[in-house]
C-alpha cells in the first residue's frame, strides 16, 4: 500500500494526463506489477502516454528489414494474356507449332489453390484430389480422427489424371492421350502443375521445393536454409535454420507456409500478418529473443521526455541491467518505471 500511494503521488505531481483518479489507480497497479516482472513493456507506455504507432512515426517493418515472400502458391486466380505462348523448349517431344492443343482448357480447370488441367492420386491414401492442399485440408483437419490425420508428401506423387480426357498416367507435363499441357509451369521434382505463370514460379534446389516471385528476386541462404528477398542478401542476420520452425505467434510451419514471412533484424522469422497484429497491439519485441523488431529510437526519445517529468527518490540505489537489444550489461540508478541502457540508449532492458 505504501508503494502504491507513493507512486500515485509521484504521477499526479508530475502532471500526468488521467481523466480521473480511477485511471491513475489502474496505471499504478500495472506499474507495480511491471516492477515485479523486472521487464519493460513498451505497450504499457504506448497506451498510458498515448504513444501509439502513429505518434511514434515508426517506419513499416517491411521497409526497415525487408520481407521474404515464401509463398509456395498464390490463391488469387488471374487470367493469362491471350497472346501468351508456351516456351517450346520446356516441353519435350511436342511440336512447337501445336499451341492450340497445348492451350486447350487453359485456366478453366483446377481448384482454389491452382489453375491446372490435371488431378493427382495421393500415394498415401490412394485417393484423387485436385492438389496436395486439397488433400491436406480434407485429411489433416481437426474433424478427422487424430490417428488418421496425415499430409501428402509432394515429392512422392506418381500418378496424375488429365482433367480433359480423364486418362491416368505417370507424372508428366503433357497428357499422353489428348496431348494437352496439364500445367504451363511444371516441376518434375515437386510434381507441381500450374497454369498461372504470373506467380513467377521457380524451383530452388537448396530449399528442395518450388517458390514464387521470380528467381532473380530471391537468393538462397544456406545457413538460414531458405530463400530470402534479394534486398536482405548483405544485411540480414543469419540464424541456423531460421525458417525451419513454427511462427512464434500462430505456430504455423514457416518453411512451407503460403503466407508472406518477414525476417526480423535479429534474424528470426515471423508471418507478416502476425507481425502487423503485434504492432497493432503495440508490441515491438521479438517473441523469441526480445530484441526490438524495428527502429525504436523515436520511442525512446519520447520516453526520455516522459520520464523527465517524473521524479524518483531512489537516487542512491543502483541496479544492474541487461539490454535485450545490444546485449550489454550496465549499472544504473534504480527507477520505478524503466531503465535505460548506457550503451545503445534503449529502454528494452531487464534487471539482473
Amino acid at each position: 500500500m505504501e508503494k502504491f500511494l507513493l507512486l500515485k503521488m509521484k504521477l499526479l505531481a508530475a502532471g500526468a494526463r488521467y481523466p480521473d483518479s480511477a485511471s491513475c489507480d489502474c496505471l499504478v497497479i500495472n506499474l507495480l506489477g511491471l516492477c515485479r516482472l523486472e521487464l519493460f513493456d513498451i505497450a504499457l507506455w504506448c497506451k498510458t502516454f498515448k504513444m501509439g504507432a502513429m505518434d511514434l512515426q515508426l517506419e513499416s517493418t517491411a521497409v526497415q528489414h525487408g520481407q521474404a515472400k515464401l509463398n509456395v502458391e498464390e490463391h488469387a486466380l488471374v487470367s493469362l494474356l491471350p497472346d501468351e505462348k508456351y516456351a517450346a523448349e520446356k516441353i519435350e517431344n511436342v511440336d512447337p507449332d501445336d499451341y492450340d492443343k497445348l492451350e486447350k482448357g487453359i485456366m478453366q480447370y483446377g481448384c482454389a489453390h491452382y489453375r491446372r488441367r490435371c488431378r493427382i492420386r495421393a500415394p498415401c491414401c490412394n485417393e484423387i484430389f485436385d492438389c496436395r492442399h486439397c488433400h491436406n485440408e480434407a485429411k489433416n483437419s481437426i474433424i478427422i480422427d487424430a490417428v488418421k490425420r496425415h499430409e501428402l508428401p509432394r515429392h512422392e506423387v506418381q500418378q496424375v489424371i488429365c482433367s480433359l480426357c480423364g486418362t491416368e498416367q505417370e507424372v508428366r507435363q503433357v497428357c499422353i492421350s489428348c496431348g494437352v499441357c496439364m500445367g504451363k509451369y511444371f516441376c518434375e521434382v515437386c510434381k507441381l502443375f500450374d497454369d498461372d505463370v504470373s506467380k513467377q514460379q521457380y524451383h530452388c534446389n537448396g530449399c528442395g521445393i518450388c517458390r514464387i516471385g521470380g528467381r532473380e528476386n530471391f537468393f538462397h541462404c544456406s545457413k538460414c536454409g531458405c530463400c530470402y528477398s534479394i534486398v536482405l542478401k548483405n544485411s540480414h542476420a543469419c540464424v541456423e535454420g531460421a525458417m525451419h520452425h513454427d511462427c512464434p505467434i500462430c505456430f504455423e510451419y514457416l518453411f512451407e507456409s503460403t503466407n508472406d514471412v518477414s525476417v526480423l533484424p535479429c534474424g528470426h522469422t515471423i508471418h507478416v500478418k502476425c507481425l502487423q497484429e503485434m504492432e497493432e497491439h503495440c508490441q515491438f519485441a521479438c517473441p523469441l529473443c526480445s530484441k526490438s523488431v524495428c527502429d525504436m529510437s523515436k520511442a525512446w526519445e519520447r520516453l526520455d521526455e516522459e520520464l523527465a517529468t517524473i521524479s524518483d527518490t531512489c537516487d542512491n540505489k543502483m541496479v544492474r541491467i541487461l539490454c535485450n537489444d545490444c546485449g550489454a550489461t550496465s549499472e544504473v540508478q534504480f527507477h520505478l518505471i524503466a531503465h535505460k541502457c548506457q550503451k545503445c540508449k534503449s529502454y528494452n532492458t531487464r534487471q539482473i
Side-chain angles (χ1 to χ4, degrees):
M1 180 59 69
E2 182 179 352
K3 289 183 178 181
F4 178 90
L5 294 175
L6 176 61
L7 180 55
K8 181 174 181 179
M9 287 188 294
K10 285 185 178 182
L11 293 173
L12 293 176
R17 302 178 291 275
Y18 307 106
D20 49 47
S21 178
S23 299
C24 184
D25 291 347
C26 181
L27 170 65
V28 172
I29 293 173
N30 287 333
L31 291 179
L32 289 175
L34 176 68
C35 296
R36 287 194 297 270
L37 292 174
E38 298 182 348
L39 291 172
F40 173 68
D41 184 3
I42 186 61
L44 177 61
W45 280 96
C46 287
K47 296 175 182 177
T48 304
F49 295 109
K50 305 186 189 318
M51 294 166 55
M54 295 300 295
D55 294 334
L56 298 177
Q57 298 180 349
L58 296 175
E59 297 180 7
S60 169
T61 53
V63 175
Q64 290 191 24
H65 46 76
Q67 189 177 107
K69 293 183 178 180
L70 303 178
N71 303 48
V72 182
E73 301 86 13
E74 188 71 41
H75 294 177
L77 304 180
V78 296
S79 59
L80 300 176
L81 297 177
D83 58 344
E84 193 170 7
K85 299 299 182 181
Y86 287 92
E89 65 275 12
K90 293 184 179 180
I91 305 177
E92 299 179 357
N93 304 321
V94 174
D95 187 350
D97 297 325
D98 198 6
Y99 290 118
D100 291 339
K101 182 182 295 185
L102 294 173
E103 292 182 343
K104 185 178 180 181
I106 189 170
M107 298 298 288
Q108 297 177 15
Y109 298 86
C111 58
H113 310 107
Y114 297 102
R115 293 286 85 184
R116 62 204 300 185
R117 286 162 282 177
C118 69
R119 306 181 74 194
I120 61 174
R121 182 176 292 279
C124 46
C125 54
N126 203 38
E127 297 183 30
I128 298 175
F129 295 89
D130 287 317
C131 72
R132 69 182 185 89
H133 292 292
C134 292
H135 169 278
N136 294 342
E137 290 173 2
K139 297 294 185 178
N140 199 32
S141 66
I142 59 175
I143 62 175
I144 302 297
D145 185 359
V147 179
K148 298 181 180 179
R149 294 177 196 170
H150 65 279
E151 292 191 352
L152 189 154
R154 72 179 79 190
H155 299 101
E156 297 179 13
V157 174
Q158 299 295 328
Q159 298 292 118
V160 296
I161 298 91
C162 176
S163 298
L164 276 74
C165 67
T167 302
E168 184 167 348
Q169 57 205 284
E170 293 183 355
V171 175
R172 53 170 48 85
Q173 188 171 17
V174 178
C175 177
I176 59 175
S177 178
C178 64
V180 70
C181 178
M182 293 183 284
K184 188 167 185 180
Y185 174 80
F186 169 68
C187 177
E188 188 174 3
V189 177
C190 297
K191 312 301 190 293
L192 177 60
F193 299 80
D194 199 348
D195 280 331
D196 182 8
V197 293
S198 65
K199 304 172 188 176
Q200 297 181 281
Q201 303 94 327
Y202 68 97
H203 180 83
C204 174
N205 292 326
C207 291
I209 60 176
C210 290
R211 299 294 191 190
I212 69 169
R215 188 183 301 275
E216 68 281 2
N217 298 320
F218 296 86
F219 75 99
H220 181 83
C221 178
S222 57
K223 184 175 182 179
C224 297
C226 195
C227 288
Y228 284 165
S229 172
I230 198 70
V231 300
L232 300 175
K233 190 168 186 178
N234 299 318
S235 61
H236 79 286
C238 283
V239 174
E240 190 76 32
M243 204 64 63
H244 295 265
H245 65 80
D246 298 337
C247 172
I249 302 300
C250 68
F251 303 109
E252 180 187 3
Y253 187 52
L254 291 173
F255 183 71
E256 297 182 348
S257 174
T258 58
N259 298 312
D260 286 351
V261 177
S262 185
V263 184
L264 303 178
C266 57
H268 292 123
T269 51
I270 186 175
H271 281 130
V272 172
K273 289 184 178 179
C274 294
L275 182 58
Q276 291 172 346
E277 290 181 4
M278 284 177 54
E279 291 178 337
E280 291 173 0
H281 290 83
C282 299
Q283 299 293 335
F284 301 104
C286 173
L288 297 176
C289 66
S290 297
K291 290 187 177 181
S292 299
V293 300
C294 58
D295 182 8
M296 296 293 292
S297 57
K298 294 184 182 295
W300 307 145
E301 292 173 4
R302 183 70 176 275
L303 188 53
D304 280 335
E305 298 174 2
E306 295 290 350
L307 292 181
T309 64
I310 302 178
S311 61
D312 197 335
T313 59
C314 302
D315 295 337
N316 297 326
K317 183 178 180 181
M318 303 296 290
V319 293
R320 287 181 58 80
I321 61 171
L322 170 67
C323 179
N324 293 324
D325 287 337
C326 70
T329 58
S330 52
E331 189 172 355
V332 299
Q333 289 183 345
F334 174 81
H335 197 288
L336 192 59
I337 306 302
H339 299 113
K340 185 175 184 177
C341 175
Q342 299 300 298
K343 182 178 180 180
C344 68
K345 311 305 179 184
S346 168
Y347 279 100
N348 185 11
T349 62
R350 66 183 73 189
Q351 188 174 333
I352 58 176

